[in-house]
Amino acid sequence: MNRRDFICLGGAAVALSASASASQRTSSAMPNFDKEYFINWDRAYLNIAWPGIKEKPRFRVIGDTHFNYFDERDKEYAGNYARMSGVSGRNVHLPSQAPHKYFEEAVDTAKKDGVDAILLVGDILSFPTLANVEYARKKLDECGVPWIYIAGNHDWHFEGLPGSSTQLRETWIEKRLMPLYKDGDDPMMFSRVVKGVRIVAIDNSTYLLSRKQVDFWMSEAAKGEPVLLMMHIPLYVKTGPKGCCASPHWGAALDWAWEIERRPRWIEKATPETFEFREAVLSTPNLVGVFTGHAHQAFSMRENGQNLFSVRDCRKPRAYLDVAIS
Ligand SMILES: [Fe+2]
């Protein structure tokens, strides 16, 4: 994603910043939503009122922590994670091997805060080293709260390896990321019901959706519960950034990072299934919202009465988003 697109979003974005002033919070506390629920917005906290819901689930959405742990077991891939880990001198994320203080705070306080499930919306790792996966799994298991993970484009990416994005994703999910999924789940699409809300996790980390994923969304949404979609890359809306998933503007011409990231360039245009997926999601009557990361900034977007949220990169204090449905 071209982050500059998001920076240019301007008035269309509503900041979730924890440092927002009281007046900012007041002005955004009661958006003029036309659905049958409303959202109260205070710092990084959403309260979604959903008539008829019996239990009151609370979710903590965490994205883009970009762990960069590695050790000698992945020595042969050192050249493929050097840039993202900061070893090459261009530290694009946290200092190499630094303890991930803010992620640990986010997960360690989840139980005390009454969180029913932690939703991890991708780029939890900067690359799929064994050390990264083990750290994530250990901290999540220790926190005492159920968690649901879906991959982002960096989770499975060792820079500079040959193959298409689809092939590389399949290979490295299989080789390394399986400990982050539950037994029996298809890493491309699965769902879980938590206190009456159906959480649907879909992998869109190549920006493209498959026929099977479109059909899966439609069948899950048709089951009738309030349905929450979690993915890594924000879904395009007509007033939003051009580089989102299912954008008609998305494609090779917009891909400024492929050489830096040493990966295949985006294809010319998104596939028909990808556009179909967007239409299906945005016309889902029982959609609670779409929750994503990827842009490393918090914002909300709307189309067709639906609400889409992206969380900040969790490399700062309280960069997660708590969502209560009641
Ligand atoms: Fe990221």
Side-chain angles (χ1 to χ4, degrees):
M1 170 60 57
N2 184 341
R3 283 183 217 152
R4 287 167 295 190
D5 279 345
F6 284 94
I7 292 165
C8 293
L9 196 58
V14 182
L16 283 169
S17 167
S19 59
S21 70
S23 61
Q24 283 172 311
R25 292 201 301 272
T26 302
S27 66
S28 59
M30 292 289 284
N32 184 27
F33 288 155
D34 58 13
K35 274 193 95 162
E36 51 191 29
Y37 61 84
F38 65 89
I39 295 176
N40 276 330
W41 187 296
D42 182 17
R43 296 191 176 187
Y45 179 80
L46 293 175
N47 182 18
I48 302 176
W50 194 277
I53 193 151
K54 292 189 177 67
E55 299 175 90
K56 300 186 188 318
R58 181 172 179 143
F59 305 109
R60 178 158 295 175
V61 187
I62 298 174
D64 295 278
T65 50
H66 281 277
F67 300 154
N68 59 10
Y69 298 101
F70 53 88
D71 56 33
E72 68 287 346
R73 291 173 295 170
D74 278 307
K75 206 164 60 181
E76 67 180 296
Y77 300 109
N80 307 103
Y81 60 72
R83 185 186 72 92
M84 288 297 285
S85 69
V87 168
S88 66
R90 290 188 58 203
N91 184 8
V92 294
H93 291 112
L94 280 180
S96 182
Q97 311 277 42
H100 213 294
K101 182 180 164 192
Y102 301 123
F103 168 75
E104 291 186 11
E105 279 177 11
V107 297
D108 289 347
T109 55
K111 192 167 187 175
K112 172 178 71 66
D113 292 345
V115 171
D116 294 299
I118 293 169
L119 311 183
L120 300 148
V121 292
D123 278 8
I124 300 306
L125 325 177
S126 272
F127 36 77
T129 47
L130 292 163
N132 261 346
V133 174
E134 287 171 3
Y135 172 75
R137 177 69 197 249
K138 181 172 183 290
K139 290 295 167 194
L140 289 163
D141 282 348
E142 284 172 355
C143 80
V145 171
W147 46 274
I148 303 171
Y149 163 86
I150 198 75
N153 50 306
H154 284 286
D155 290 89
W156 45 263
H157 186 48
F158 275 138
E159 296 182 340
L161 295 184
S164 70
S165 293
T166 304
Q167 288 165 343
L168 290 166
R169 175 174 64 177
E170 190 180 336
T171 299
W172 290 98
I173 283 180
E174 187 59 38
K175 276 189 173 180
R176 294 294 170 81
L177 304 186
M178 291 313 284
L180 301 179
Y181 301 93
K182 299 290 187 288
D183 286 346
D185 282 344
D186 178 347
M188 293 298 101
M189 67 203 98
F190 60 91
S191 76
R192 199 88 73 234
V193 176
V194 179
K195 288 193 169 177
V197 173
R198 182 168 293 274
I199 312 288
V200 179
I202 303 258
D203 188 315
N204 71 342
S205 60
T206 61
Y207 285 86
L208 302 172
L209 281 300
S210 68
R211 173 79 262 149
K212 212 172 152 188
Q213 287 174 310
V214 180
D215 293 345
F216 181 75
W217 170 260
M218 293 200 279
S219 71
E220 292 299 302
K223 290 177 179 171
E225 306 100 334
V227 62
L228 183 157
L229 173 60
M230 57 178 280
M231 311 190 290
H232 181 58
I233 300 175
L235 204 55
Y236 175 74
V237 302
K238 286 176 184 142
T239 54
K242 290 179 178 175
C244 288
C245 176
S247 160
H249 314 284
W250 181 90
L254 212 61
D255 189 2
W256 57 276
W258 69 283
E259 289 175 302
I260 297 168
E261 295 180 353
R262 293 191 291 151
R263 57 167 171 74
R265 195 170 189 169
W266 296 344
I267 59 173
E268 283 305 309
K269 190 177 175 6
T271 58
E273 292 82 5
T274 304
F275 294 117
E276 194 184 331
F277 179 78
R278 184 188 108 87
E279 296 303 317
V281 169
L282 296 183
S283 60
T284 300
N286 47 326
L287 179 65
V288 172
V290 180
F291 293 85
T292 55
H294 192 51
H296 290 221
Q297 295 183 46
F299 58 90
S300 69
M301 304 191 291
R302 295 198 81 218
E303 186 173 310
N304 200 28
Q306 307 289 12
N307 297 290
L308 303 89
F309 303 95
S310 233
V311 296
R312 295 165 72 194
D313 54 298
C314 191
R315 295 176 294 128
K316 305 176 187 84
R318 285 187 55 78
Y320 52 82
L321 171 65
D322 277 348
V323 183
I325 303 170
S326 58

